[in-house]
Amino acid sequence: MLKGKKIVLGITGSIAAYKACLIIRGLVRRGAEVQVVITPAGKEFITPITLSALTQKPVISDFFSQRDGTWHSHVALGLWADAMLIAPCTAATLGKMATGVADNMLITTYLSMKAPVFIAPAMDLDMYAHPTTQQNLERLRSFGNHIIEPQSGFLASGLEGKGRMEEPEKIVDYLDNSLECRVDSVEFATAVPNVSAEGMDVAANCKSGEGMAEANCKSGEGMAEANSTLYTLHSTLKGRHILITAGPTYEKIDPVRFIGNYSSGKMGFALAEECAKRGADVTLIAGPVSTQLAPACAHLIKRIDVESCLQMRDAAVSAFPQADAAILCAAVADYRPAQVADQKMKRTGDVDIHLVPNPDIAATLGQMKQPGQMLVGFALETNDEQQNAEKKLKKKNLDFIVLNSLRNEGTCFRSDENQIAIIDGNGRRDYDKKPKAEVASDIIDYLASSLLPLTSDIHN
């Protein structure tokens, strides 16, 4: 997702500033274009010459770099960028960002930024833990900024604790994942200035022959006349609440044993991330899995962790009335032990475990379903796939069902790929084998095309 992206990298006066070189290298290797904006204190820790060599761009630090009337436009930088990353970000810069103290080029660029902003704090443990710093971080989060949490480790002071900037490679990964999961739910117009005939490079330097193309301010002429470009962001599920279940359930036999299955939750998590990308309010009810949401999507998704079918049923019943749609992707155990031993069962020969049926979550929500709500089920079959899926579709009052078969090798449990068919009252649509993230996109395309318009959409 970073290929072709324009990134403003803000560097502040921290000992961790040297790691900015590794961040730049990581961004450039993934195809990003990087423009550095550094504070005066930042230049005490790393030289602009080093940074310029890595980015192939002049480093911006001051409003006025020459005495010939040229200047750096923080507004143009804010329009040029696809993202702004401030790494490292000191406590002082956090405070200025939180309160709008625009006394350097980095802060004015931040205040003018139209794109998402990512902040990687770096400071000593006591400074990070101080209530003022924590309050500033919360304030910045409330503005919609993404905080890349520092790690615990050895600090420049010789102490150990939380405050060490996240490692450069992980910061680049975070940015990459976040741009993929971006869910800005508004449309906005940005003014993209005309590119000069000299082929200047991008948005903020006004010095003739050295600038950045889209906002080159040739001597005394100011910015070129702007062409408005409308950016319509991916928001096909804006205003929707989607409920998703994922993973297995574990049904206890005793304190150390259970009945379960091989579900990894990968398909359900991919569906949750796809809905989040499209602007939905997502509730993910997850059984016991090791799968994790992409870091940049995790804060967009309400995750409820459960273990048993009964717990998943209760959570789903509680959340479904507020949902526009529910996608029941979890591999729920059909049976559970009638009795659960209080202590570990010892080896004493043959053991008979009496099983009783678990509640049918899909059927329960099918009975609850109100006009305007959609209910999507999954059918994992080993034989008679079509007949079994059609039977579930009708019996459980589903709007459509996603069919996968264990006879398709390299799909289903624990796999990164899947091959599905979607069946509804109008027939069947088959899809090729592909990564689960792409399968999720196919399913959500189908769901989005089937949802009734929101009342606000009709009125508009």
Side-chain angles (χ1 to χ4, degrees), residues 4-229:
K5 298 296 185 184
K6 300 177 177 68
I7 310 297
V8 170
L9 175 61
I11 302 173
T12 68
S14 164
I15 190 66
Y18 76 93
K19 294 184 179 180
C21 295
L22 299 175
I23 293 173
I24 293 169
R25 182 64 60 85
L27 292 171
V28 170
R29 280 179 174 171
R30 300 194 193 191
E33 185 176 352
V34 182
Q35 174 61 57
V36 171
V37 179
I38 191 168
T39 64
K43 291 190 289 186
E44 299 294 325
F45 291 88
I46 189 167
T47 67
I49 292 175
T50 301
L51 300 169
S52 180
L54 292 171
T55 63
Q56 299 296 303
K57 293 182 182 297
V59 171
I60 297 173
S61 178
D62 303 309
F63 295 104
F64 310 102
S65 58
Q66 303 291 330
R67 295 186 177 276
D68 60 1
T70 59
W71 59 291
H72 294 124
S73 172
H74 53 90
V75 175
L77 276 174
L79 297 175
W80 171 76
D82 293 300
M84 182 177 188
L85 168 64
I86 304 172
C89 185
T90 61
T93 296
L94 283 174
K96 291 179 181 180
M97 293 168 66
T99 54
V101 178
D103 64 349
N104 62 46
M105 186 67 186
L106 191 153
I107 302 299
T108 56
T109 301
Y110 162 71
L111 293 174
S112 300
M113 189 56 55
K114 300 295 185 184
V117 177
F118 302 83
I119 303 165
M123 62 198 74
D124 208 61
L125 72 163
D126 292 325
M127 295 177 69
Y128 182 75
H130 196 278
T132 301
T133 303
Q134 293 302 310
Q135 186 178 58
N136 288 335
L137 286 168
E138 286 305 311
R139 185 173 176 84
L140 289 169
R141 283 191 185 94
S142 73
F143 296 160
N145 298 295
H146 302 265
I147 307 299
I148 304 175
E149 288 286 335
Q151 299 303 305
S152 294
F154 187 75
L155 304 170
S157 64
L159 301 175
E160 286 198 39
K162 188 169 184 178
R164 181 184 178 91
M165 188 179 80
E166 179 62 275
E167 292 305 312
E169 184 178 354
K170 292 185 178 181
I171 290 175
V172 175
D173 285 342
Y174 188 102
L175 196 65
D176 200 345
N177 291 331
S178 186
L179 290 178
E180 183 179 359
C181 288
R182 185 178 173 186
V183 291
D184 306 66
S185 60
V186 297
E187 296 178 353
F188 56 89
T190 61
V192 180
N194 291 326
V195 179
S196 67
E198 286 88 324
M200 301 299 185
D201 200 18
V202 193
N205 193 315
C206 303
K207 186 176 179 182
S208 175
E210 297 180 15
M212 298 185 302
E214 296 176 6
N216 181 26
C217 308
K218 295 182 67 177
S219 121
E221 294 180 10
M223 289 183 63
E225 182 180 353
N227 296 322
S228 291
T229 302

Side-chain angles (χ1 to χ4, degrees), residues 380-395:
L380 174 60
E381 302 294 341
T382 59
N383 60 283
D384 300 326
E385 288 93 341
Q386 180 79 21
Q387 298 92 322
N388 288 333
E390 289 178 350
K391 183 178 178 180
K392 289 181 180 179
L393 179 72
K394 296 175 183 178
K395 181 179 178 180

